[in-house]
């Protein structure tokens, strides 16, 4: 395995649909190395893998025990990835590349249809603390093995907005919109050091051009007029900010000739109720 300098990633909550052709087309258009999916329970992954092989793309599914929990990661053969931990709401992968080691967390938190925002934020707080412990374990393992430290990426369907307590709160993911603040590494809250994430999704929200979110809904539990929600997000530890490729970052609204937007809304009847996001680091 020769490894790659830049990792090109796609995340999509596919709403339990078998969107094999759409995933393949999007991966070919964007030269994707790592496919991350939520609600992938009904995806024919073996067919996807076999079809990608026709384009000389040798993808494999990374899993320890098939739990049918909907989170799925498929990696191109040039990417050295393996599962580190699997839980109900998230999976953690180690990726070893030429110049860097990544700890990649793919998550799907409970829907607003089943849990209110307070409950969802509480779960985010718990998962954030779990990730902190995993980072510490990885750091110790890397030091013992004489490897480079791991830089963490958290990506997925948070079912929370970037300004929700579970994402921006100090006891949640502590994810900020300002890269310069994130580069300060941490803040102190009640005499406790809390590490930052940088959340680039803020830079896509409410833009004059493009799509202002990844999920569309007419109604809110508290009658707030959002309509567009940024539930699907990517968070980066500060060490990755300078190698984040802004020009390749975005919400995907069209795949080939297929428009994922119809009449100003997400075309959920034909595709998913979420839009995919793409990003690159390296």
């Amino acid at each position: 395995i020769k490894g790659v300098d830049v990792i090109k990633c796609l995340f999509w909550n596919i709403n339990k649909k078998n969107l094999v052709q759409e995933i393949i087309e999007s991966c070919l258009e964007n030269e994707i190395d790592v496919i991350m999916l939520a609600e992938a329970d009904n995806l024919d992954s073996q067919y996807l893998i076999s079809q990608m092989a026709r384009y000389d793309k040798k993808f494999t599914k990374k899993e320890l025990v098939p739990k049918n929990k909907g989170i799925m990661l498929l990696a191109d053969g040039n990417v050295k990835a393996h599962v580190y931990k699997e839980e109900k709401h998230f999976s953690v992968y180690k990726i070893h590349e030429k110049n860097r080691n990544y700890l990649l967390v793919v998550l799907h938190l409970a829907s607003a249809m089943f849990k209110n925002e307070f409950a969802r934020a509480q779960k985010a707080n718990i998962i954030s603390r779990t990730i902190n412990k995993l980072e510490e374990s990885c750091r110790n393992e890397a030091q013992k093995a004489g490897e480079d430290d791991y830089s963490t990426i958290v990506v997925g369907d948070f079912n929370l907005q970037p300004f929700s307590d579970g994402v921006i709160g100090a006891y949640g993911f502590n994810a900020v919109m300002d890269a310069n603040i994130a580069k300060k590494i941490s803040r102190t809250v009640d005499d406790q050091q809390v590490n930052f994430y940088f959340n680039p999704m803020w830079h896509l929200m409410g833009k004059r051009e493009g799509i202002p979110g990844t999920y569309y809904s007419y109604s809110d539990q508290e009658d707030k007029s959002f309509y567009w929600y940024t539930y699907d997000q990517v968070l980066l530890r500060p060490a990755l900010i300078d190698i984040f490729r802004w020009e390749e970052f975005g919400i995907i609204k069209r795949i080939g000739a297929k428009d994922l937007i119809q009449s100003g809304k997400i075309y959920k009847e034909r595709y998913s109720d979420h839009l995919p996001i793409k990003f690159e680091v390296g």
Side-chain angles (χ1 to χ4, degrees), residues 148-249:
D148 291 334
D149 199 3
Y150 287 82
S151 299
T152 304
I153 302 170
V154 183
V155 62
D157 178 2
F158 287 72
N159 270 307
L160 292 165
Q161 299 266 48
F163 47 81
S164 297
D165 287 348
V167 179
I168 205 166
Y171 299 111
F173 282 93
N174 198 38
V176 297
M177 68 170 84
D178 187 329
N180 291 319
I181 291 174
K183 285 180 179 180
K184 294 177 181 177
I185 308 300
S186 66
R187 61 185 291 210
T188 301
V189 181
D190 294 333
D191 298 323
Q192 181 180 341
Q193 183 176 304
V194 187
N195 291 335
F196 285 122
Y197 285 96
F198 171 59
N199 188 351
M201 299 304 296
W202 286 93
H203 298 261
L204 301 180
M205 293 167 61
K207 290 178 68 176
R208 184 171 59 83
E209 71 283 354
I211 297 300
T214 63
Y215 181 84
Y216 187 93
S217 178
Y218 293 102
S219 60
D220 180 89
Q221 289 170 322
E222 298 173 351
D223 296 327
K224 293 176 181 175
S225 297
F226 285 129
Y227 291 90
W228 284 98
Y229 296 75
T230 307
Y231 282 162
D232 307 276
Q233 302 173 52
V234 52
L235 311 182
L236 311 168
R237 285 300 195 199
L240 299 175
I241 291 172
D242 288 339
I243 61 167
F244 184 72
R245 302 204 165 198
W246 284 101
E247 66 276 9
E248 301 299 335
F249 172 53

Side-chain angles (χ1 to χ4, degrees), residues 248-259:
E248 301 299 335
F249 172 53
I251 299 167
I252 295 172
K253 61 180 181 177
R254 179 184 290 273
I255 298 173
K258 300 171 183 176
D259 198 339

Side-chain angles (χ1 to χ4, degrees), residues 136-150:
E136 191 174 337
S137 296
C138 284
R139 192 174 300 116
N140 293 336
E141 291 167 13
Q143 286 176 350
K144 288 177 183 176
E147 294 180 352
D148 291 334
D149 199 3
Y150 287 82

Side-chain angles (χ1 to χ4, degrees), residues 4-281:
V4 295
D5 291 311
V6 178
I7 300 178
K8 303 183 179 186
C9 303
L10 173 83
F11 172 78
W12 197 3
N13 179 332
I14 57 174
N15 195 26
K16 299 186 178 179
K17 293 183 179 176
N18 191 29
L19 300 177
V20 170
Q21 199 55 44
E22 288 77 14
I23 293 168
I24 290 172
E25 284 185 53
S26 188
C27 286
L28 294 175
E29 283 178 356
N30 297 290
E31 300 180 322
I32 297 297
D33 303 306
V34 178
I35 305 166
M36 297 162 287
L37 305 170
E39 294 194 25
D41 315 66
N42 300 320
L43 182 76
D44 188 343
S45 57
Q46 291 309 311
Y47 180 66
L48 189 155
I49 289 167
S50 68
Q51 292 301 298
M52 289 296 280
R54 295 175 58 191
Y55 299 96
D56 201 29
K57 301 284 187 180
K58 298 179 175 64
F59 276 79
T60 56
K61 184 160 65 168
K62 306 296 181 180
E63 61 184 2
L64 292 176
V65 181
K67 293 184 178 179
N68 199 32
K69 61 186 172 65
I71 293 174
M72 185 182 296
L73 184 139
L74 300 103
D76 182 83
N78 291 325
V79 176
K80 295 173 280 186
H82 66 270
V83 181
Y84 187 57
K85 187 177 182 63
E86 290 178 328
E87 295 284 352
K88 181 179 180 182
H89 290 287
F90 67 96
S91 293
V92 185
Y93 307 88
K94 280 184 173 182
I95 298 179
H96 302 274
E97 283 313 326
K98 284 184 178 178
N99 302 314
R100 191 174 294 271
N101 290 326
Y102 299 92
L103 195 65
L104 177 63
V105 182
V106 183
L107 57 75
H108 182 205
L109 302 187
S111 169
M113 291 186 288
F114 307 115
K115 301 279 187 180
N116 65 24
E117 185 164 340
F118 176 78
R120 285 179 279 140
Q122 291 294 97
K123 187 64 177 179
N125 295 354
I126 292 168
I127 291 177
S128 176
R129 287 196 291 271
T130 302
I131 293 169
N132 291 343
K133 291 176 182 175
L134 292 173
E135 285 179 313
E136 191 174 337
S137 296
C138 284
R139 192 174 300 116
N140 293 336
E141 291 167 13
Q143 286 176 350
K144 288 177 183 176
E147 294 180 352
D148 291 334
D149 199 3
Y150 287 82
S151 299
T152 304
I153 302 170
V154 183
V155 62
D157 178 2
F158 287 72
N159 270 307
L160 292 165
Q161 299 266 48
F163 47 81
S164 297
D165 287 348
V167 179
I168 205 166
Y171 299 111
F173 282 93
N174 198 38
V176 297
M177 68 170 84
D178 187 329
N180 291 319
I181 291 174
K183 285 180 179 180
K184 294 177 181 177
I185 308 300
S186 66
R187 61 185 291 210
T188 301
V189 181
D190 294 333
D191 298 323
Q192 181 180 341
Q193 183 176 304
V194 187
N195 291 335
F196 285 122
Y197 285 96
F198 171 59
N199 188 351
M201 299 304 296
W202 286 93
H203 298 261
L204 301 180
M205 293 167 61
K207 290 178 68 176
R208 184 171 59 83
E209 71 283 354
I211 297 300
T214 63
Y215 181 84
Y216 187 93
S217 178
Y218 293 102
S219 60
D220 180 89
Q221 289 170 322
E222 298 173 351
D223 296 327
K224 293 176 181 175
S225 297
F226 285 129
Y227 291 90
W228 284 98
Y229 296 75
T230 307
Y231 282 162
D232 307 276
Q233 302 173 52
V234 52
L235 311 182
L236 311 168
R237 285 300 195 199
L240 299 175
I241 291 172
D242 288 339
I243 61 167
F244 184 72
R245 302 204 165 198
W246 284 101
E247 66 276 9
E248 301 299 335
F249 172 53
I251 299 167
I252 295 172
K253 61 180 181 177
R254 179 184 290 273
I255 298 173
K258 300 171 183 176
D259 198 339
L260 306 184
I261 302 293
Q262 186 183 58
S263 303
K265 302 188 293 290
I266 296 174
Y267 196 179
K268 62 182 181 181
E269 292 78 16
R270 176 168 291 185
Y271 306 111
S272 173
D273 55 349
H274 288 250
L275 295 175
I277 58 175
K278 62 172 185 170
F279 66 94
E280 298 183 10
V281 288

